Amino acid sequence: MPDIAENVEKGTIAAVLVSEGDKVSVDQPLVEIETDKASTDIPSEFDGVVAEIKVQEGDEVKVHQVILILEVEDEDGQDEQEKEKPAEKGKAESHGEEEQAEKETDDEKKDDKGRDNQDQEQEEQKSKEHSSDKKRNLSEVPAAPSVRRLAREMDVDLTRVKGSGPGERITAEDVKKHADKPQQADAKEKPGADEKLPDFSQWGPVSREKIKTIRRLTAENVLQSWQTIPHVTHFDEADITNLEKFRIQHQKKAEKQGVKLTVTAILLKIAGFALQKFPRFNASLDDNEIVFKHYFNVGVAVDTPRGLLVPVIRDVNTKSLIQLSVELDELANKARERKIAPEEMQGGNFTISNLGGIGGTGFTPIVLPPQVAILGVSRAVYKPVYVGDKLKKRMIIPLSVSYDHRVIDGADGARFLRWFCDVIEDPFAILQ
Ligand code: CAO
């Protein structure tokens, strides 16, 4: 299992694409791996014959673990004995690294200095760019390559370690200390970790299905969110009759540009304005500080056969309705077709979850940390509504907003959603 990306350390075999005895050529996909919210093919690095497959669908594999053994021919056309590919190369490299890691004690910094300095500069640059955002990605954590290796070996998540070195740089000692701590929080995060189930078969037939990576990650994330964020969900509804007329009128124009103008795209556009007007909904909480972001990236929950994925549309405030429709369509398709990259699902400040295409009169979405708010959209339907003294047929869309009550007060929640509804009812309200 090669290194796929900086912060990906393991994955699940989603499909084995070859059989023992198969001839394979360079770049031919061998297995499909589901990793941190994305799936990717692992291609062969050589022409050869599959000698042995060491994994099966559903297995969890770690980076550098052997996936399969490939018999390849060397440059003279002679069979090399069971060369292990692609994972064995990784393994050999990893052994080299281990030896080096051992050598790298006192003089490690000298050995690694060029690379390390470069690394440090890049990391410092990154940490300057995100100076107010301490909940970093693994790649943004200041630590030397040898410390990263040690953390990988000891199964320590560097994003949770506080560095004691200059500029909060994480040392090998910090990693060791963290590894010694009882990992209560981690144990708690595992859904159902300490629940013992009864034997259901005593009451009737049962079957089991392995939970795929994405569903497991979603389960872990929503559990963590539910346990750590004090959620409040606020409901409101908007008269979307006029906006729906506008949408249908402009549908033809959009179709000419090869795209469907959807309710979600319109809500994305409104969210761009709403997040500027209500900066706390675009923020994150960092201990005693609120991190306000001055860019406006919005995630959209997409229902896929593999589970919930949330691609992020960047800088929604700068894009036209048509651009937003195109991007939403592209990203939702990529998510459904397993082609979405992890980075296309990162960096969101706020999320829209539209279940209206399916149905429902209201729901309480769960905030995606480190975000602090999420908009839930239910099904717009025609209802009899009093307009002045007259009962009229109007299309009403139910909306909800769940928010982190540590950052957002009830009145803020009510104001935010009411403003959103006002703009749906009369886009002129944006100017107010
Ligand atoms: N009310 C009424 N109808 C709605 C609607 C709403 N709120 N939202 C969408 N629709 C309609 C659309 O108009 C469309 O109708 P037509 O086929 O007649 O044109 C149909 O439902 C399907 O919409 P769509 O899916 O093509 O387009 P969309 O932009 O509205 O939605 C997306 C895109 C990605 C949000 C959606 O496909 C999806 O995956 N939704 C599920 C999200 C989810 O799982 N959320 C739960 C996450 S946990 O919080």
Side-chain angles (χ1 to χ4, degrees), residues 175-245:
V175 172
K176 285 178 198 154
K177 268 192 204 149
H178 190 90
D180 290 342
K181 273 195 212 157
Q183 304 292 311
Q184 282 162 344
D186 287 351
K188 258 198 220 153
E189 278 167 23
K190 296 228 164 72
D194 30 78
E195 284 167 28
K196 269 210 176 117
L197 291 174
D199 175 12
F200 297 113
S201 65
Q202 59 185 306
W203 299 300
V206 293
S207 61
R208 281 178 177 260
E209 184 188 293
K210 209 159 169 89
I211 299 178
K212 298 240 167 95
T213 317
I214 291 180
R215 268 183 225 286
R216 205 175 53 234
L217 282 166
T218 304
E220 285 171 13
N221 291 342
V222 290
L223 182 69
Q224 195 219 343
S225 168
W226 195 247
Q227 286 178 334
T228 57
I229 296 180
H231 279 75
V232 174
T233 305
H234 183 88
F235 297 89
D236 209 333
E237 45 185 38
D239 182 339
I240 198 170
T241 319
N242 295 341
L243 203 58
E244 184 62 8
K245 270 189 206 144

Side-chain angles (χ1 to χ4, degrees), residues 218 222 240 244 247 251 260-267 300-304 307-311 325 328-329 331-333 336 351-360 363-368 374-381 395-399:
T218 304
V222 290
I240 198 170
E244 184 62 8
R247 190 179 74 86
Q251 193 67 272
K260 201 172 145 188
L261 184 58
T262 66
V263 184
T264 313
I266 296 175
L267 296 177
V300 177
V302 179
D303 176 35
T304 82
L308 170 69
L309 289 174
V310 188
S325 304
L328 174 62
D329 190 50
L331 285 172
N333 283 335
R336 292 189 190 109
T351 297
I352 296 180
S353 176
N354 180 6
L355 287 175
I358 304 168
F363 68 106
T364 57
I366 294 182
V367 172
L368 297 183
I374 178 168
L375 183 76
V377 186
S378 295
R379 192 175 195 80
V381 287
M395 184 177 260
I396 303 297
I397 190 163
L399 299 177

Side-chain angles (χ1 to χ4, degrees), residues 81-183:
Q81 283 236 317
E82 302 206 328
K83 205 170 201 173
E84 301 198 357
K85 281 289 136 201
E88 189 61 7
K89 184 170 166 255
K91 207 175 161 196
E93 280 168 0
S94 121
H95 285 162
E97 282 173 358
E98 275 162 25
E99 279 160 27
Q100 199 183 338
E102 276 161 26
K103 271 190 240 150
E104 284 172 2
T105 46
D106 287 346
D107 56 352
E108 134 188 62
K109 280 177 196 147
K110 276 183 236 153
D111 288 344
D112 252 339
K113 212 158 188 172
R115 192 154 52 110
D116 211 16
N117 279 351
Q118 227 179 356
D119 226 37
Q120 191 174 355
E121 273 166 28
Q122 278 170 5
E123 278 167 356
E124 275 168 5
Q125 180 58 31
K126 272 188 193 159
S127 77
K128 261 183 222 153
E129 282 165 19
H130 306 282
S131 57
S132 52
D133 189 353
K134 283 183 198 150
K135 292 214 166 43
R136 308 146 295 187
N137 286 328
L138 188 58
S139 60
E140 292 166 349
V141 171
S146 57
V147 173
R148 289 180 189 280
R149 273 199 300 277
L150 181 68
R152 271 207 298 271
E153 281 158 21
M154 299 185 83
D155 214 13
V156 166
D157 178 358
L158 280 181
T159 60
R160 291 169 181 249
V161 181
K162 193 159 172 48
S164 63
E168 297 197 342
R169 199 164 172 77
I170 299 170
T171 64
E173 207 47 43
D174 296 331
V175 172
K176 285 178 198 154
K177 268 192 204 149
H178 190 90
D180 290 342
K181 273 195 212 157
Q183 304 292 311

